[in-house]
Amino acid sequence: MIKKLPTFLRFCTAALALIFSLHTAMLRAELSFPAVFNHHMVLQREMPVPVFGKDLPGTTVTVEFGGQKKQAIADDKGIWKAVLDPMQASAEGRELTASGSSTVILKDILVGEVWMGAGQSNMVIPVSGAGYPSSYARDQDLPLIRYSRPPSDKERKPFSKTPHDMQWNPEWMVCTKENIPKFGGIMFAFADALHRELQVPIGIVNRAVGGTPVRFHLDQGELAADPFVQQVISEANAQTAQAAARAVELEAAYPRYVKEIKERVAATGEKISPVKKPVYATPSRIRDASLTGKKGVGYIMFIEPMLGMAMRGVVWDQGESGTGMLNGRVGLGMSTRFLIRQWRQHWPELPFIVQQKPSGQGRNTWGRLAPEEGKNAELPPTPPTYPWTSGHKPYEYLTLKDEPGTWMVNTMDLITSVHPGRKDMNGLRASEIALSEVYGIGSDDWRAPAFEKATFQGDTATVHFRHIGEGLTVKGTGTIQGFALAGEDQVFHWADAVIEGETVKVSSAKVSKPVAVRYAYAKRAYLAKFSVPVAPWANLFGANGRPVQIFRSDDWENVP
């Protein structure tokens, strides 16, 4: 009997361990939602609303909300999704219940309009640091505006090395006067304007992370099939191969060169010596299958867990850093286009409103002064230039302007810096676009006059515009600045410009027969010697107060 006791004890120990492990597994497998589903959230009105999460594989999950009852079965990975029928807006806080291996009840759930804010630090910076004027103070509760905040650096850090669905589990904040300073500066002004106009609950999901490149928010593997990506990779790798072959040739030629120099010295007595052997650098090869083929950390932690969530659209603000892709061969505009197209594989036709990056532009930047008080900076001696192929920030507008369902917030007359103030203006302008283009209400006064075409006759270029509204005007001084002309030699010179009706006539004494015209095409760094901190020299506006967007009529490659 005593001899059998150790076996019995071993059996009991093993049984207890099994029971404990099963219990632990069951606890881990209890029904759960991704972080975005939480108390006080807003569900999207007037479209099917997927409700999803995880549970034990094979478990039947029942979702109840607003008189609806929907069921789903967790798949072999434990993922389940039930879809609620479209609902009208409701300001009544109700419970959403999901029952499976356990029951989760989310309280105070509204139905209204849901938008995501994403990108970098300018989307993260809260109202308290966003430069709101005192006139914008909201000393009142706005309980129908709700906010799902981004995680803090401290909350995000444990997930960064092994990124996965980040369950930092924040409840949605209800907009009280005490909470307003914590809301994202851009998205609060955006939500406030929408709420005042639409009179429905507004939910904002902020998934921005400061200092992150576009690829942080992408599934890079999905880019492999993009024809443009494959073309860039192919061309870049061909150039690298050619450069490498040339380096081999030069390497082989160097000994012959040294021998020739020595023979020359011996024959002539000249006091010369061969130059030091140069280092033959070659451009780096782009790895195949679109970059690393990996999912970005932010995509894994924030985007993937909420793929398919019902929402109206996205406000995107990224470009202060990490703007390029594919070894710098793709700039901000094209990389943003990649992101838009990829996200739309999961959210078809999702509207995108992109905040333009004014940093470093030779534009009409009036700071905190009223435009009529602004002073135009002195023009530099020659037009500041920057290679078109660089994909520099000012030109993202030209890349994205024809992308369907995508609009850009014109920020050229706002404060220029990496973290500009007056984010209320960014949010308000984004709301004007949303109301006009997404909801079909309000006016199209948000549009700035935009380049349509240029015609050339003799020594004059005539520039025609779209969205002309009530016409064009000049601010700061009575003289239009920022236009440049070039002839067949492709050398640009400053030009004089005058408004004639709905066109601008442009000419220059240095260009007798122009074939190309540009406007506001510059980089701020070139103005440093003029001690101009923000380069406010391009000063053509629409009568609605919006600055004319950058444009160029030419498509010359590698012409600055």
Side-chain angles (χ1 to χ4, degrees), residues 163-403:
H164 56 280
D165 178 359
M166 185 174 176
Q167 292 287 344
W168 77 101
N169 207 38
E171 290 188 4
W172 288 52
M173 282 193 286
V174 177
C175 186
T176 63
K177 56 187 177 183
E178 292 79 18
N179 276 340
I180 287 176
K182 303 174 187 177
F183 279 55
I186 291 176
M187 295 310 289
F188 172 71
F190 178 82
D192 186 30
L194 259 58
H195 175 55
R196 283 186 276 115
E197 185 68 33
L198 301 176
Q199 292 295 299
V200 300
I202 305 293
I204 300 298
V205 180
N206 193 334
R207 292 297 180 264
V209 178
T212 53
V214 172
R215 60 182 178 273
F216 180 88
H217 307 269
L218 279 171
D219 180 349
Q220 298 177 36
E222 290 187 355
L223 291 179
D226 189 290
F228 181 81
V229 170
Q230 291 303 313
Q231 179 184 348
V232 171
I233 291 173
S234 177
E235 292 177 354
N237 290 344
Q239 292 171 4
T240 299
Q242 291 172 2
R246 179 59 177 160
V248 171
E249 292 176 5
L250 294 174
E251 183 77 21
Y254 186 75
R256 295 195 301 271
Y257 158 74
V258 173
K259 182 181 178 182
E260 290 173 1
I261 293 294
K262 289 181 178 179
E263 290 175 349
R264 180 176 171 183
V265 170
T268 66
E270 292 181 74
K271 294 182 178 181
I272 57 174
S273 58
V275 297
K276 185 178 179 181
K277 182 180 178 179
V279 177
Y280 303 109
T282 59
S284 58
R285 181 180 183 275
I286 298 180
R287 283 174 286 184
D288 196 19
S290 73
L291 311 101
T292 64
K294 297 179 180 179
K295 296 177 181 179
V297 173
Y299 184 86
I300 296 172
M301 293 195 296
F302 312 131
I303 306 305
E304 197 168 41
M306 56 184 289
L307 287 178
M309 174 186 173
M311 68 176 73
R312 187 64 71 185
V314 174
V315 179
W316 177 258
D317 191 321
Q318 193 274 345
E320 290 75 26
S321 64
T323 57
M325 296 171 65
L326 299 177
N327 291 7
R329 289 175 171 86
V330 172
L332 175 61
M334 187 58 71
S335 58
T336 304
R337 177 180 286 183
F338 288 161
L339 180 135
I340 292 170
R341 291 180 177 180
Q342 186 197 83
W343 284 19
R344 283 178 176 163
Q345 293 178 22
H346 306 283
W347 285 289
E349 300 181 355
L350 184 69
F352 265 80
I353 299 174
V354 180
Q355 294 283 341
Q356 190 167 30
K357 296 288 95 182
S359 305
Q361 299 181 58
R363 308 296 182 82
N364 23 41
T365 304
W366 304 93
R368 294 179 183 275
L369 295 174
E372 59 272 13
E373 299 174 16
K375 302 296 182 182
N376 280 68
E378 177 186 356
L379 284 170
T382 58
T385 58
Y386 206 77
W388 172 249
T389 54
S390 71
H392 192 57
K393 295 173 188 176
Y395 316 125
E396 65 172 334
Y397 163 74
L398 298 176
T399 307
L400 293 173
K401 65 185 180 67
D402 296 321
E403 185 71 17

Side-chain angles (χ1 to χ4, degrees), residues 44-237:
Q44 178 62 47
R45 65 170 175 166
E46 298 174 353
M47 66 173 63
V49 178
V51 180
F52 45 89
K54 295 181 179 179
D55 205 336
L56 288 169
T59 301
T60 297
V61 178
T62 302
V63 174
E64 298 180 71
F65 179 75
Q68 297 189 48
K69 180 183 287 189
K70 304 292 182 178
Q71 289 190 326
I73 299 176
D75 64 17
D76 57 358
K77 294 182 180 180
I79 299 172
W80 58 267
K81 180 176 73 173
V83 181
L84 298 172
D85 298 330
M87 298 172 282
Q88 295 301 309
S90 173
E92 176 189 354
R94 293 174 287 183
E95 292 185 349
L96 186 153
T97 302
S99 301
S101 63
S102 62
T103 298
V104 177
I105 301 175
L106 304 182
K107 297 183 178 181
D108 188 29
I109 308 301
L110 309 181
V111 180
E113 289 297 309
V114 181
W115 284 78
M116 183 198 299
Q120 284 184 280
S121 52
N122 277 308
M123 185 60 73
V124 176
I125 293 172
V127 169
S128 59
Y132 274 47
S134 57
S135 60
Y136 198 90
R138 289 288 184 269
D139 190 22
Q140 64 186 60
D141 295 339
L142 300 168
L144 299 187
I145 298 177
R146 308 290 175 89
Y147 182 65
S148 176
R149 66 174 176 82
S152 66
D153 291 342
K154 183 177 179 180
E155 291 171 321
R156 193 178 70 254
K157 188 174 181 180
F159 296 83
S160 298
K161 291 184 178 180
T162 56
H164 56 280
D165 178 359
M166 185 174 176
Q167 292 287 344
W168 77 101
N169 207 38
E171 290 188 4
W172 288 52
M173 282 193 286
V174 177
C175 186
T176 63
K177 56 187 177 183
E178 292 79 18
N179 276 340
I180 287 176
K182 303 174 187 177
F183 279 55
I186 291 176
M187 295 310 289
F188 172 71
F190 178 82
D192 186 30
L194 259 58
H195 175 55
R196 283 186 276 115
E197 185 68 33
L198 301 176
Q199 292 295 299
V200 300
I202 305 293
I204 300 298
V205 180
N206 193 334
R207 292 297 180 264
V209 178
T212 53
V214 172
R215 60 182 178 273
F216 180 88
H217 307 269
L218 279 171
D219 180 349
Q220 298 177 36
E222 290 187 355
L223 291 179
D226 189 290
F228 181 81
V229 170
Q230 291 303 313
Q231 179 184 348
V232 171
I233 291 173
S234 177
E235 292 177 354
N237 290 344

